[in-house]
Amino acid sequence: MKFGYSEVCLDHDTGVRHPESPDRLRAIRRGLAKQHGVSYIEADPASEATVRAVHDDDYIDRVKQFCADGGGEWDPDTIAVEATWDAALESAGLAEWSARAALNGEDGRNTPFSIGRPPGHHAVYDNAMGFCFINNAAVAAQAALDSGDASRVAIFDWDVHHGNGTQDIFYDRGDVHYSSFHEAGLYPGTGEVEEVGEGDGKGMTLNAPLPSGSGDAEYAGAFEQLLVPALTEFEPDLLLVSAGFDAHEHDPISRMRVSTEGYGVLTDRVRTLASDLDAALGFVLEGGYGLDTLAESITMVHEVFDGREPVEPEGDASERAQLIIDQAVKAHGLGEK
């Protein structure tokens, strides 16, 4: 794979005890150092105009000044230093590169994956939260639409936390489909099945709040029963994966049970779906806070694109998870057309 990376993203220093630290990127680089076919691209930072296309002007002015004044605690979880503003623009620029490279035909072993930080999917239209200042996937999606390279963009978020920011930005839009598989009841407390979009965006938001303890079989079941029919109907030109790895069974801040092999299965299914839909495919890093498991999981994504065939999970989704999947199928009328 081609990985978008910049040393600038290491300058966003959240402190020694913060889970979203520069060590995440260092761990990823160490894990990928042993792999064949890895290359790195340093993209231009996102322009302020591109960022303001998905965020409120006053908010962007405030966070920019906050960083210029030395940063601090935006909220108890979301920490900034002076260098955070440049890191956030770089992270958004890397996500924009991932979308642009995918639309320019980079696929197969050259599939783009941006590994910037800070992450983005909790950043709503007019506020920072949950470690996020700029919504990287939203910037990438909007830039693809504004350039005319795509008329419909799908964002699939497999981070363990609901991407409330991405949902917020596109909730009333008909040209962006947002899907999230996340742990029910976890931060930020959004992402219920009934949240399906409004106005032109009605039906364009699909949430599967899976119960704690869900693992490979539950995610595979939700993928086949929800994402495949929803995106087949939507017909996106571009599919972006908001790729957080904190649903891993050994991640320190979640109670989900996705294995490293399970991320390989998800990767293989995303790749197959994008191919079936003739959609460009790019990845954007979100969460993942166990350094070893984060590195192992991203290495697994790379290995799948390098020819590895992941082992399919045994068994079906649990009854509790299947109930949620069935509710989402009904809420979206999937399979009725």
Side-chain angles (χ1 to χ4, degrees):
M1 300 184 78
K2 287 187 176 179
F3 291 90
Y5 173 80
S6 172
E7 297 284 325
V8 173
C9 292
L10 300 178
D11 296 334
H12 170 54
D13 185 1
T14 52
V16 294
R17 296 184 180 180
H18 199 284
E20 203 296 287
S21 76
D23 287 339
R24 298 175 65 231
L25 300 191
R26 297 186 181 107
I28 293 168
R29 290 288 300 256
R30 286 195 301 270
L32 291 172
K34 306 171 186 177
Q35 299 300 308
H36 170 76
V38 172
S39 62
Y40 291 97
I41 302 294
E42 183 167 358
D44 292 332
S47 68
E48 283 196 29
T50 304
V51 169
R52 292 174 189 271
V54 296
H55 285 292
D56 176 69
D57 283 338
D58 289 342
Y59 162 65
I60 292 300
D61 291 341
R62 285 188 294 118
V63 72
K64 183 180 178 182
Q65 189 62 51
F66 183 72
C67 294
D69 291 341
E73 290 190 0
W74 185 275
D75 64 33
D77 294 321
T78 311
I79 312 299
V81 293
E82 184 177 355
T84 294
W85 176 245
D86 286 341
L89 289 179
E90 188 66 42
S91 189
L94 290 168
E96 188 180 352
W97 160 80
S98 181
R100 184 172 59 253
L103 287 163
N104 285 341
E106 300 282 2
D107 58 9
R109 286 182 166 86
N110 291 323
T111 297
F113 193 144
S114 69
I115 50 172
R117 59 177 292 277
H121 73 153
H122 293 308
V124 297
Y125 173 68
D126 59 358
N127 204 7
M129 59 185 291
F131 313 162
C132 305
F133 292 92
I134 294 173
N135 196 304
N136 302 318
V139 167
Q142 189 63 52
L145 293 167
D146 288 344
S147 70
D149 293 326
S151 59
R152 292 179 302 281
V153 178
I155 301 172
F156 171 42
D157 191 333
W158 74 35
D159 190 281
V160 78
H161 304 95
H162 179 242
N164 61 302
T166 315
Q167 175 173 300
D168 171 68
I169 290 168
F170 297 119
Y171 201 61
D172 61 355
R173 296 269 296 274
D175 52 356
V176 177
H177 188 287
Y178 176 71
S179 302
S180 176
F181 297 174
H182 51 274
E183 182 177 343
L186 205 61
Y187 179 93
T190 52
E192 297 298 326
V193 168
E194 296 79 14
E195 297 168 22
V196 298
E198 61 186 18
D200 291 341
K202 187 173 183 180
M204 294 296 104
T205 295
L206 189 160
N207 286 307
L210 298 170
S212 300
S214 294
D216 299 354
E218 286 74 22
Y219 276 72
F223 192 96
E224 293 302 321
Q225 297 174 62
L226 296 175
L227 200 67
V228 171
L231 295 194
T232 299
E233 182 178 323
F234 181 62
E235 297 182 319
D237 303 305
L238 170 66
L239 172 55
L240 292 173
V241 180
S242 271
F245 296 90
D246 37 8
H248 195 284
E249 58 189 336
H250 298 307
D251 191 273
I253 65 172
S254 82
R255 297 163 293 179
M256 299 300 248
R257 303 292 297 168
V258 178
S259 69
T260 303
E261 198 75 25
Y263 281 114
V265 171
L266 279 175
T267 300
D268 186 50
R269 295 195 177 194
V270 164
R271 177 179 60 177
T272 299
L273 179 58
S275 177
D276 289 346
L277 298 175
D278 195 26
L281 175 63
F283 292 76
V284 177
L285 180 64
E286 297 289 356
Y289 305 102
L291 298 182
D292 290 339
T293 56
L294 174 61
E296 290 168 5
S297 298
I298 291 184
T299 296
M300 173 61 76
V301 174
H302 167 73
E303 288 180 348
V304 168
F305 280 98
D306 200 40
R308 177 170 178 163
E309 295 184 8
V311 179
E312 288 288 326
E314 296 181 358
D316 298 322
S318 68
E319 290 185 7
R320 290 194 305 149
Q322 189 60 53
L323 178 62
I324 298 299
I325 294 169
D326 290 344
Q327 290 173 355
V329 167
K330 183 177 180 180
H332 287 269
L334 299 174
E336 294 180 359
K337 295 182 181 180

